[in-house]
Amino acid sequence: MDLAEIWRVMRRRWYVLLPGLLLTAALTTAVHLLIPVEYQSQTTVTLLNSSKATEAFDGNPFLSTQASLTGMADGLARNLNSDGAKADLKALGVTGRHEVKIADNAQGPFMWLTVTGTDPAAVLTSGELLAAYADKRLGEFQTQQSVAPEAMIRMATIVPPQKPEAQTKTRIQYIVMVGALGLVLSLVATFYVEARRRTPRGKERPAPDGAPAAVPAAVTPAAVPAAATPVTTDETIALRTVGSGGAGSP
């Protein structure tokens, strides 16, 4: 079946295709309205060595990096993603979802603090609250271990909470999926109706396995053409006897 034939079928069975397309448009519109746009804000922080550990570098913490700082960043991220931290952040007024992890391709103890929600203003505020809470938790860890203040690891903000950006990827994926599914089902219904209309109505279906075959109706004499009936004709044959040795007389 070429494109021209497909187009002719679609035009001929428009009464099947059109309702399907209208229903698909309604569903995609519903998905567009029901799935809200999400916004995301990200903060980048880093862990710095203690002031005591940077004395050999004239107090510059960026010249003193240790592998232990990356380990501490990983532990802090895991704690901030825990259920207890989520409850604390919710009590502080953080809305939406948050995620804390070591920054991708980081060459040091850099962390990403990400907040996602449907209200841009609330997302930005939540990002600031999350950064403050992370700094607080870092101090609490070290206080619990009786670390002297001058030996404590510090946190510095590299990139403050960014302006929330719309995240439309998931929403577009759902819209495309619903639209494609509706289009495919509409076309399938259209060609199904076309196939049913093209099937001869008087065509006998094969008998199922084990069922007796249909017996043809008995042929009645009336159904036999008259030309096929043999005709019997009585004929009288006159025999002329010829006498032996002489002419015969009638």
Side-chain angles (χ1 to χ4, degrees):
M1 182 179 289
D2 56 7
L3 294 178
E5 178 64 19
I6 293 175
W7 174 248
R8 285 193 292 269
V9 172
M10 292 171 62
R11 289 184 60 185
R12 189 161 50 246
R13 307 302 175 190
W14 64 269
Y15 55 87
V16 178
L17 181 62
L18 183 58
L21 295 180
L22 293 177
L23 180 60
T24 300
L27 290 176
T28 53
T29 302
V31 171
H32 177 77
L33 296 176
L34 294 177
I35 299 181
V37 178
E38 290 189 331
Y39 296 87
Q40 189 175 91
S41 176
Q42 191 174 80
T43 306
T44 304
V45 299
T46 186
L47 300 186
L48 300 177
N49 224 328
S50 64
S51 57
K52 184 176 182 180
T54 58
E55 291 178 354
F57 303 94
D58 295 331
N60 190 341
F62 293 101
L63 296 177
S64 175
T65 57
Q66 298 179 0
S68 59
L69 293 178
T70 303
M72 185 64 195
D74 181 65
L76 179 60
R78 294 174 185 273
N79 180 267
L80 294 175
N81 290 327
S82 65
D83 293 338
K86 291 179 181 179
D88 293 341
L89 290 170
K90 185 176 181 179
L92 291 174
V94 175
T95 59
R97 306 185 308 275
H98 77 275
E99 181 184 15
V100 181
K101 67 175 185 177
I102 296 179
D104 295 340
N105 303 320
Q107 298 182 358
F110 296 97
M111 301 171 60
W112 280 345
L113 286 64
T114 306
V115 178
T116 305
T118 57
D119 185 359
V123 168
L124 185 60
T125 302
S126 297
E128 297 172 350
L129 292 174
L130 177 59
Y133 181 78
D135 191 14
K136 176 185 175 183
R137 290 298 295 159
L138 177 63
E140 291 175 352
F141 287 155
Q142 299 175 89
T143 300
Q144 293 172 358
Q145 301 301 320
S146 302
V147 178
E150 63 275 9
M152 285 187 176
I153 297 173
R154 297 166 291 172
M155 178 179 292
T157 300
I158 302 300
V159 180
Q162 296 297 288
K163 180 181 178 180
E165 297 182 356
Q167 306 294 308
T168 59
K169 181 179 179 180
T170 302
R171 183 174 166 178
I172 292 176
Q173 287 177 343
Y174 278 113
I175 292 176
V176 171
M177 181 176 63
V178 172
L181 181 60
L183 178 60
V184 170
L185 292 179
S186 300
L187 292 176
V188 168
T190 300
F191 285 94
Y192 175 76
V193 172
E194 177 69 14
R196 289 295 299 267
R197 293 302 177 92
R198 288 187 178 184
T199 302
R201 296 183 179 180
K203 185 177 181 180
E204 297 182 357
R205 298 181 179 178
D209 296 339
V215 179
V219 179
T220 60
V224 179
T229 305
V231 179
T232 304
T233 305
D234 294 334
E235 295 182 356
T236 303
I237 303 175
L239 300 177
R240 180 175 295 179
T241 306
V242 181
S244 56
S249 57

